[in-house]
């Protein structure tokens, strides 16, 4: 067996082992079978659902490819998505849209994610909007800084885009149950 074949074999074994721990409905079938909600294309609400009941996520990232993959997966799970390409645009969108949650990249031109989070936290009208950072910066210092800014989540790039909507929904549910401070504390408990 060659080195390449051994590497491929180990990867296959690792993949099979990781799938063994997934619930059956996630381990089997196509990606479509894993999507819980199938809204109208473009993130519209399903018949009988009001726009107010659909959580709106503000997705802030300067990379179009990241925004696209996130939008597809969030909308595929029934969430409404608004996009912003930089910090200034994000602050305008927050004040205009009043999103349920902000997914915020750290490294952006102009006002970076840290600056956006600081401004949101300093404003009485926006400080209660949950912020989840979406960043390639994985150092403990970055998580600690996010925690200081009041963030309730930190997703490190690269990430599994299929899991993103579940993370967002979990954060929204926990914030609604009054677990915001617990979510913030958990930022320093991860790797």
């Amino acid at each position: 067996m060659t080195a390449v074949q051994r590497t491929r074999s180990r990867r296959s074994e690792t993949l099979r082992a990781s799938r063994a721990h997934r619930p059956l409905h996630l381990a089997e079938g196509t990606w479509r079978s894993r999507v819980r909600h199938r809204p109208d294309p473009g993130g519209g609400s399903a018949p009988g659902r009001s726009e107010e009941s659909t959580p709106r996520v503000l997705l802030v990232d300067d990379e179009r490819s990241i925004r696209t993959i996130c939008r597809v997966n969030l909308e595929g799970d029934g969430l409404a998505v608004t996009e912003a390409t930089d910090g200034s645009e994000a602050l305008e969108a927050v004040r205009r849209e009043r999103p349920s949650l902000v997914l915020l990249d750290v490294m952006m031109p102009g006002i970076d994610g840290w600056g956006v989070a600081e401004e949101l936290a300093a404003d009485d009208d926006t400080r209660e909007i949950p912020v989840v950072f979406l960043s390639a910066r994985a150092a403990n210092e970055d998580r600690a800084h996010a925690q200081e800014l009041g963030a309730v989540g930190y997703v490190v790039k690269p990430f599994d885009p299929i899991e993103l909507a579940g993370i967002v929904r979990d954060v929204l549910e926990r914030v609604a149950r009054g677990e915001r401070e617990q979510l913030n504390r958990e930022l320093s408990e991860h790797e």
Side-chain angles (χ1 to χ4, degrees), residues 22-66:
R22 290 184 185 171
L24 187 58
H25 72 283
L26 293 178
E28 304 290 327
T30 66
W31 68 271
R32 287 194 182 274
S33 67
R34 290 177 249 170
V35 176
R36 288 183 294 207
H37 305 287
R38 291 187 179 95
D40 295 334
S45 61
R49 279 174 60 187
S50 69
E51 281 295 318
E52 293 86 40
S53 67
T54 302
R56 175 161 300 281
V57 176
L58 173 60
L59 173 60
V60 187
D61 200 301
D62 58 324
E63 293 182 49
R64 176 182 280 172
S65 59
I66 298 290

Side-chain angles (χ1 to χ4, degrees), residues 138-188:
N140 288 335
E141 301 83 47
D142 295 312
R143 284 183 178 276
H145 192 54
Q147 188 177 31
E148 290 167 10
L149 294 171
V152 295
Y154 199 95
V155 178
V156 177
K157 297 176 187 176
F159 57 91
D160 183 348
I162 292 173
E163 294 177 0
L164 188 59
I167 292 168
V168 167
R169 287 196 180 275
D170 181 57
V171 167
L172 289 171
E173 289 169 11
R174 290 187 64 190
V175 167
R177 289 193 309 254
E179 297 177 24
R180 184 186 189 106
E181 288 180 23
Q182 175 64 29
L183 281 165
N184 179 259
R185 281 192 303 271
E186 290 173 6
L187 288 181
S188 64

Side-chain angles (χ1 to χ4, degrees), residues 55-184:
R56 175 161 300 281
V57 176
L58 173 60
L59 173 60
V60 187
D61 200 301
D62 58 324
E63 293 182 49
R64 176 182 280 172
S65 59
I66 298 290
R67 290 193 318 271
T68 299
I69 191 110
C70 291
R71 173 186 280 279
V72 166
N73 285 284
L74 294 169
E75 287 180 345
D77 197 66
L79 298 162
V81 179
T82 300
E83 294 181 17
T85 60
D86 60 39
S88 298
E89 201 176 302
L91 291 168
E92 291 173 20
V94 165
R95 292 184 175 99
R96 183 181 64 245
E97 301 283 335
R98 295 286 187 227
S100 307
L101 181 137
V102 177
L103 271 176
L104 183 59
D105 185 22
V106 172
M107 297 180 289
M108 295 183 293
I111 303 171
D112 66 7
W114 303 132
V116 172
E118 286 174 15
E119 287 198 39
L120 294 177
D123 187 336
D124 289 339
D125 292 334
T126 58
R127 78 174 44 160
E128 295 303 316
I129 298 172
V131 172
V132 174
F133 282 102
L134 190 65
S135 178
R137 298 176 67 147
N140 288 335
E141 301 83 47
D142 295 312
R143 284 183 178 276
H145 192 54
Q147 188 177 31
E148 290 167 10
L149 294 171
V152 295
Y154 199 95
V155 178
V156 177
K157 297 176 187 176
F159 57 91
D160 183 348
I162 292 173
E163 294 177 0
L164 188 59
I167 292 168
V168 167
R169 287 196 180 275
D170 181 57
V171 167
L172 289 171
E173 289 169 11
R174 290 187 64 190
V175 167
R177 289 193 309 254
E179 297 177 24
R180 184 186 189 106
E181 288 180 23
Q182 175 64 29
L183 281 165
N184 179 259

